[in-house]
Amino acid sequence: MRKEEWLLCPICNSKTRIKLLENTVLENFPLFCPKCKHEIIINVKKLNISTITEPDAKT
């Protein structure tokens, strides 16, 4: 039996439209949350989610 989970938004903790399996690997994935309307870059390995913070553009 394989383990699967819904990917939760790191900002508002609501369910997104992405389902993860235990062997899913995502790198620099732009995750969009339909509830809070934010987009964040994430990495996923073995159901461990880490966010990537990008420095703001200097003007």
Side-chain angles (χ1 to χ4, degrees), residues 3-50:
K3 186 176 179 183
E4 54 187 41
E5 291 182 6
W6 286 102
L7 181 57
L8 300 178
C9 174
I11 297 172
C12 68
N13 270 345
S14 65
K15 192 179 351 177
T16 62
R17 297 180 178 123
I18 309 292
K19 191 178 263 191
L20 298 173
L21 299 176
E22 60 187 339
N23 61 351
T24 301
V25 176
L26 298 173
E27 292 183 8
N28 297 326
F29 183 76
L31 175 67
F32 177 76
C33 178
K35 183 176 180 183
C36 69
K37 308 285 193 247
H38 281 93
E39 184 174 308
I40 190 163
I41 308 291
I42 63 167
N43 288 335
V44 176
K45 287 186 182 177
K46 294 185 180 180
L47 298 177
N48 292 325
I49 303 164
S50 60

